[in-house]
Amino acid sequence: MATSAFLFLSLLLSSQATIAVADDTFFETKIRPILVEHCYSCHSLESGEASGELLLDSAASMKRGGGRGTPLNLNMPEESLLIRVLTHADENLKMPPEEKLPDSVVDDFRTWLKQGAPDPRGGTVPDKSARELLAEKHWAYQLPQPYQLVEAAGVEHANDPIDIAILEKLREKGLEPAAKADKFTLVRRLSYDLLGLPPSPEDIAALQSDDSPDAYRRVVERLLASPQFGERWARHWMDVARYADTKGYVFQEDRNYAAAFRYRDWLIRSLNEDMPYDQFVQYQLAADALDPKNEQGHLDAMGFLTLGRRFLNNIHDIIDDRMDVVGRGLMGLTIACARCHDHKYDPVSAADYYSMYGIFLNSDEPGGDPSPLRLVDSPNEKPAFIFLRGQAHNRGEQVPRRFVKFLSEENSANFTAGSGRLDLAKSIISAKNPLTARVIVNRVWLRLVGSNLIDTPSDLGIRAPQPELLDVLDELSCGMIENQWSLKHLIRRIVLSSTYQQSSLGRDELAQKQDPENRLLWHMNRKRVDFEGLRDSILVSTGRLDPRLGGPSVPIHEPPYTNRRTVYSFIDRQNLPGIFRSFDVASPDAHNPQRSLTTVPQQGLFLLNSDWIAEQAQALGDQLTNEFGASNDEALVRAAFTKILKRSPNDLELKMGIDYLANARQSTAHGPAPIWSYGYGSFSPETGELKSFTKFPAFDGGTYRGEKPLPDNKLGWASLSAEGGHPGTKDFSVVRRWQAPQAGMLQIIGQAEHGTEQGNGVIAAIVLDQKKLLGKWEVRNGKVEIKTEPLDIPAGTTVDLIVCDNGDTSHDSFKWRAVVRITGETKETYASNKGFGPPPAQSMDAVDLLVQALLGSNELAFVD
């Protein structure tokens, strides 16, 4: 009996082992191939996807299931979620979604379930969510590591480990880097990238004439030390910070922020001083804790948080906007996606969202001094609750203030000091946060190199693919941290690299085929000049750029046109000027990770037709004509190229320019000259000579004047109205110019008046062609009749009615009504106060048109 029982038991165990082997074989041959081919792309750790919180690449994860529970029902296989989705029984849940699998395959899954779903992949049920498991493997959630240098043949191209890392990737594809760019290209590239301005003649000459090994580095250091550096890089950060001078629509209250420009000026100062980036971040989030009395001037930094949209003053939307600019702007973390439910892809829960929400809920805006831009901690703590489905009236559990849990150290403390903003800032710039350094390095790289290392610069989450040049990103991130988070060190390192100094002429056929998008940087990217750089370049070319740093924002799109740098533009969030949209300026409504790059007709039409561009072209055209004469065509062409493009024309360009002037003169020869124009100049009452004449730059309030409200910084009180005006000093005597439309007999009559007993009066004078004095009259506390003798003049003669001070400019307001009569082919009368108004669209002469053509050229619109 014992022997037979033993034999029976042996046969039974042998049979079960055979069944187990058969079951494993069935899974490996029938089930696993289908999972790999059709399911892993959306439900596996390797793919980085866990749609519906479901992972199917291990037995344990498959049995646990996802957001809809386990897909396996061994007691009732036909009721399994797995069978329902495979048969497309549910219209809203079909897998694979594109096409139903064959019935034979679905039957295989039925058989497998009836067998008990044996799965040789094994494993225990993980205690972490699918999102957390994915995050543990995701590249961006690992701490950056410095690049490990490798031995590489022919690394003479490399100035930096990042060059070697790039060279290694190139050689894997059988590619080599491009040659070094020429010196003119390099200095132009540096100047635009570091200052946002074209290179000065001094910088061009310094590099081109210096063959020493340190010549390029010296140019870099000079530009990094320039005050214009802060202006350029502040504008980049203003895109990140969604800067605007207005709140958007807010009912009937004042839409303007009080002194928003102070945040912009803080950025300029901090960047010029190379404030370490970790401090740069902390001040923008918690300057009230670090500089509460504004003794160091850092409270304005909190405009980063407070200058967003006001969403009709909905506090929940305002806080969400602040969380978004902190999350995406500083860490590339889309935390705002967890407002209504747990994040779909990343391990950010709704509890994480409302824990951070509580930080800003306990931050108040006091307004007023010492900074209207600051936040302060609320005096009474306000508890934070999860809003179920994001609805404020539907509260869930209370949550503490803390950092995002999956980025925090285990057992890390909640934030209890004040609102928690300072603790939040410290968590963001912690050495154990893998995101912050990578995000800012990528933003700087984009601005300098013209392409991202991270394809999604403000989203480093699970769906962000690993960068092709991750070694470069991490090497620069580690290097910046090791160098006290210095942004200038980071920028210096990139621009000194051989990669940055490459030519942008990508003519390698193999490389074009292997890497058409230049993702491995086998040549430098060709970059467009952005709107700020283009407008500022035009002002530099005309010599009109106002170099002052800081100050209130000014509108740039309407007359009288300002000459301030474009970074000082007034940004109206609700009514963003069309020119900003046409030239891809970042929208101020939300954090902007990267500007669009479009080429649209409106850009060319602006450069062809706008009053502003005509004003700039005429200003430079007048300068060139005054310097070289109206007919010295070769000198005019050479000077225009030098002023605008910072180089001499080649022989073909010189010939084309000369021909252009000749053709333009023919086409504009018959245009009518303006009768009256209004300006200022240096006048000598003793000699009767008007040494210069410059048109007033602005017309406002019925008065021609300087660019600023009277008194102008340069022209003082100099101004002209329909009836009179006020002179400046003798260098800024006011001039009402009439130009004869025909030859004939000229006579001028009228009356000048100085109507106050104060002051010593003014001198009125009439001068022909700036040389011939027809008469002068002292006018003081009374009226003087003015009349000239008849005089025969040719067409085109200029007649200047000039008023200058009589020793000082105090109380020099005057009136002067004049009538100009000319009798030639016809008899005409012109009154000085008739038709007075803003300047008409002025016809442009040949030199102006040449200047405008160069200002609108492709060469000015591209860095290289």
Side-chain angles (χ1 to χ4, degrees):
M1 288 292 294
T3 302
S4 61
F6 178 77
L7 178 61
F8 174 77
L9 181 60
S10 298
L11 290 171
L12 178 62
L13 291 173
S14 174
S15 172
Q16 288 180 338
T18 302
I19 292 173
V21 170
D23 288 342
D24 286 353
T25 302
F26 187 83
F27 177 85
E28 295 294 354
T29 58
K30 299 290 187 179
I31 303 303
R32 189 199 288 264
I34 299 300
L35 294 175
V36 171
E37 181 177 356
H38 295 285
C39 305
Y40 280 12
S41 61
C42 297
H43 300 279
S44 69
L45 288 174
E46 184 177 353
S47 70
E49 295 280 355
S51 296
E53 272 289 282
L54 176 64
L55 290 171
L56 299 177
D57 53 351
S58 74
S61 293
M62 189 168 186
K63 289 176 181 177
R64 181 182 68 175
R68 296 174 182 266
T70 179
L72 311 178
N73 186 336
L74 302 184
N75 296 322
M76 303 178 66
E78 198 62 31
E79 296 300 318
S80 292
L81 179 63
L82 176 62
I83 300 301
R84 283 169 46 207
V85 301
L86 290 177
T87 57
H88 288 198
D90 188 338
E91 187 65 28
N92 297 317
L93 191 61
K94 301 177 180 180
M95 296 295 164
E98 298 83 11
E99 184 178 359
K100 181 176 174 289
L101 295 174
D103 291 343
S104 60
V105 172
V106 179
D107 288 341
D108 287 339
F109 276 91
R110 288 190 176 101
T111 300
W112 179 61
L113 287 170
K114 290 175 183 176
Q115 292 175 349
D119 189 338
R121 295 175 300 174
T124 58
V125 177
D127 59 359
K128 297 180 180 179
S129 70
R131 293 194 308 275
E132 290 173 317
L133 291 172
L134 290 173
E136 287 181 351
K137 296 174 66 70
H138 183 54
W139 66 269
Y141 298 145
Q142 319 304 315
L143 286 173
Q145 300 297 321
Y147 176 64
Q148 300 300 314
L149 287 174
V150 297
E151 293 294 331
V155 293
E156 66 279 354
H157 171 81
N159 288 342
D160 188 281
I162 64 173
D163 294 324
I164 299 177
I166 291 170
L167 189 62
E168 183 181 17
K169 288 286 187 180
L170 287 173
R171 288 182 172 169
E172 287 176 6
K173 300 276 189 179
L175 307 179
E176 291 291 328
K180 187 175 182 178
D182 63 82
K183 289 184 175 182
F184 177 78
T185 297
L186 285 176
V187 73
R188 180 178 171 85
R189 186 184 295 171
L190 277 175
S191 189
Y192 273 113
D193 285 347
L194 300 192
L195 307 185
L197 298 171
S200 68
E202 293 76 22
D203 284 332
I204 295 171
L207 189 57
Q208 289 186 326
S209 62
D210 190 345
D211 293 326
S212 64
D214 292 334
Y216 177 79
R217 179 183 285 271
R218 283 197 292 272
V219 175
V220 171
E221 297 300 337
R222 185 161 63 252
L223 297 181
L224 286 173
S226 167
Q228 281 72 50
F229 170 85
E231 292 177 313
R232 173 62 168 174
W233 286 83
R235 181 59 254 187
H236 293 331
W237 188 257
M238 288 158 70
D239 285 8
V240 174
R242 83 270 188 257
Y243 175 88
D245 292 279
T246 64
K247 305 171 185 176
Y249 183 64
V250 282
F251 300 111
Q252 300 300 314
E253 71 178 72
D254 183 6
R255 294 190 306 112
N256 294 317
Y257 277 117
F261 69 90
R262 288 169 55 169
Y263 172 63
R264 180 241 297 137
D265 288 355
W266 179 86
L267 290 175
I268 293 172
R269 175 168 60 91
S270 300
L271 290 165
N272 276 334
E273 294 172 355
D274 195 23
M275 175 183 287
Y277 183 71
D278 56 345
Q279 294 180 30
F280 185 75
V281 168
Q282 289 185 78
Y283 281 127
Q284 291 181 81
L285 300 185
D288 59 313
L290 301 170
D291 187 17
K293 297 181 180 179
N294 208 31
E295 293 171 337
Q296 301 171 57
H298 293 311
L299 283 180
D300 294 333
M302 301 184 75
F304 178 74
L305 296 174
T306 59
L307 291 179
R309 277 182 65 195
R310 285 307 165 117
F311 304 96
L312 300 177
N313 289 324
N314 182 317
I315 185 61
H316 309 301
D317 289 342
I318 292 172
I319 290 177
D320 182 76
D321 171 69
R322 291 173 180 173
M323 292 172 62
D324 181 64
V325 77
V326 169
R328 290 199 298 145
L330 301 180
M331 295 184 291
L333 188 65
T334 55
I335 189 171
C337 292
R339 182 177 182 179
C340 303
H341 48 71
D342 290 350
H343 200 293
K344 187 175 181 181
Y345 303 108
D346 294 308
V348 179
S349 65
D352 285 326
Y353 176 93
Y354 287 99
S355 291
M356 190 179 290
Y357 173 95
I359 295 172
F360 294 100
L361 181 65
N362 283 279
S363 302
D364 296 338
E365 291 182 63
D369 292 332
S371 171
L373 307 181
R374 75 194 190 284
L375 292 174
V376 297
D377 295 338
S378 302
N380 301 311
E381 182 176 339
K382 304 166 191 171
F385 299 87
I386 295 175
F387 294 163
L388 302 179
R389 304 184 75 85
Q391 298 173 345
H393 62 274
N394 191 8
R395 290 185 175 183
E397 64 176 296
Q398 184 174 340
V399 291
R401 298 189 298 280
R402 59 172 171 78
F403 193 45
V404 178
K405 195 170 184 179
F406 89 98
L407 287 175
S408 303
E409 294 184 57
E410 194 171 347
N411 301 320
S412 60
N414 298 329
F415 298 163
T416 56
S419 65
R421 275 181 290 104
L422 182 57
D423 288 324
L424 172 63
K426 290 179 178 178
S427 297
I428 289 172
I429 53 88
S430 166
K432 296 185 178 180
N433 186 334
L435 300 174
T436 306
R438 284 187 174 119
V439 169
I440 186 59
V441 164
N442 185 65
R443 296 200 194 286
V444 171
W445 183 271
L446 170 64
R447 298 299 186 179
L448 295 172
V449 180
S451 61
N452 284 301
L453 290 168
I454 304 170
D455 288 342
T456 51
S458 290
D459 181 2
L460 274 63
I462 296 297
R463 293 172 66 82
Q466 179 171 315
E468 193 90 46
L469 297 173
L470 179 59
D471 287 338
V472 173
L473 175 68
D474 283 3
E475 168 65 22
L476 290 172
S477 300
C478 294
M480 186 180 71
I481 295 172
E482 289 171 3
N483 285 273
Q484 291 75 51
W485 293 84
S486 167
L487 285 173
K488 284 192 177 181
H489 166 82
L490 173 63
I491 292 169
R492 179 187 294 109
R493 185 175 179 185
I494 294 172
V495 300
L496 289 175
S497 70
S498 294
T499 300
Y500 178 86
Q501 295 179 58
Q502 291 181 104
S503 169
S504 58
L505 299 176
R507 294 175 176 168
D508 186 313
E509 291 186 10
L510 176 62
Q512 285 283 13
K513 184 177 180 180
Q514 294 268 31
D515 185 19
E517 296 180 349
N518 195 33
R519 297 182 68 84
L520 298 180
L521 296 173
W522 52 275
H523 67 90
M524 183 61 169
N525 293 301
R526 180 173 290 186
K527 294 179 295 186
R528 287 267 298 275
V529 175
D530 59 16
F531 173 65
E532 292 87 349
L534 181 63
R535 180 179 174 276
D536 293 348
S537 293
I538 292 172
L539 288 171
V540 168
S541 299
T542 61
R544 306 178 90 189
L545 183 69
D546 185 341
R548 288 175 297 148
L549 292 180
S553 301
V554 291
I556 67 165
H557 63 288
E558 57 189 20
Y561 297 111
T562 181
N563 291 333
R564 298 227 64 195
R565 280 199 75 171
T566 314
V567 69
Y568 300 112
S569 302
F570 185 88
I571 305 295
D572 187 335
R573 177 172 272 124
Q574 188 175 350
N575 299 298
L576 192 67
I579 185 177
F580 288 2
R581 295 192 295 271
S582 295
F583 282 90
D584 303 317
V585 174
S587 167
D589 276 345
H591 157 73
N592 189 287
Q594 183 175 352
R595 290 190 182 186
S596 302
L597 280 176
T598 64
T599 301
V600 294
Q602 291 90 328
Q603 295 166 357
L605 291 171
F606 173 81
L607 295 173
L608 284 171
N609 298 316
S610 76
D611 291 339
W612 180 78
I613 201 73
E615 180 180 297
Q616 304 309 312
Q618 288 170 327
L620 182 53
D622 289 346
Q623 292 176 35
L624 298 178
T625 301
N626 288 338
E627 185 173 354
F628 299 103
S631 59
N632 190 347
D633 289 356
E634 180 176 341
L636 288 168
V637 173
R638 290 187 183 279
F641 268 78
T642 302
K643 285 276 189 182
I644 299 169
L645 303 181
K646 311 304 177 188
R647 64 174 180 83
S648 299
N650 60 37
D651 292 343
L652 178 59
E653 289 168 334
L654 181 61
K655 181 180 183 305
M656 290 174 65
I658 292 171
D659 292 344
Y660 187 90
L661 286 176
N663 293 333
R665 285 195 185 93
Q666 275 191 325
S667 64
T668 61
H670 304 293
I675 300 298
W676 291 103
S677 53
Y678 310 90
Y680 60 90
S682 177
F683 173 64
S684 169
E686 292 77 20
T687 65
E689 179 182 4
L690 180 63
K691 297 176 182 177
S692 63
F693 173 75
T694 304
K695 294 176 184 176
F696 277 114
F699 181 84
D700 189 41
T703 302
Y704 283 91
R705 56 170 177 75
E707 293 180 342
K708 299 296 178 186
L710 297 174
D712 180 74
N713 295 337
K714 175 183 177 183
L715 306 183
W717 293 98
S719 58
L720 282 171
S721 64
E723 300 293 329
H726 195 295
T729 63
K730 283 187 171 57
D731 285 336
F732 302 111
S733 299
V734 291
V735 182
R736 195 182 306 260
R737 171 169 285 185
W738 178 86
Q739 188 166 11
Q742 61 173 325
M745 192 63 67
L746 170 77
Q747 188 174 32
I748 303 160
I749 62 173
Q751 185 181 76
E753 178 181 354
H754 175 256
T756 176
E757 294 182 358
Q758 298 169 300
N760 57 0
V762 297
I763 294 174
I766 300 176
V767 176
L768 262 61
D769 290 333
Q770 296 190 203
K771 300 288 187 182
K772 184 174 183 178
L773 181 66
L774 296 187
K776 65 179 179 179
W777 299 264
E778 184 176 333
V779 188
R780 181 179 180 183
N781 189 23
K783 300 177 181 179
V784 174
E785 298 297 324
I786 292 178
K787 184 176 182 180
T788 65
E789 296 296 324
L791 180 68
D792 198 25
I793 62 169
T797 298
T798 59
V799 179
D800 293 327
L801 281 60
I802 304 168
V803 177
C804 67
D805 68 84
N806 195 21
D808 65 66
T809 59
S810 177
H811 302 284
D812 276 0
S813 294
F814 68 90
K815 291 182 179 180
W816 185 359
R817 297 176 184 173
V819 174
V820 180
R821 296 172 179 163
I822 187 164
T823 304
E825 293 183 3
T826 61
K827 185 176 182 179
E828 302 291 345
T829 300
Y830 301 91
S832 62
N833 62 343
K834 297 298 183 184
F836 182 88
Q842 186 178 346
S843 60
M844 300 173 70
D845 65 21
V847 180
D848 299 339
L849 292 172
L850 172 67
V851 167
Q852 186 183 20
L854 292 178
L855 292 177
S857 67
N858 222 31
E859 186 170 338
L860 195 66
F862 278 83
V863 176
D864 281 11

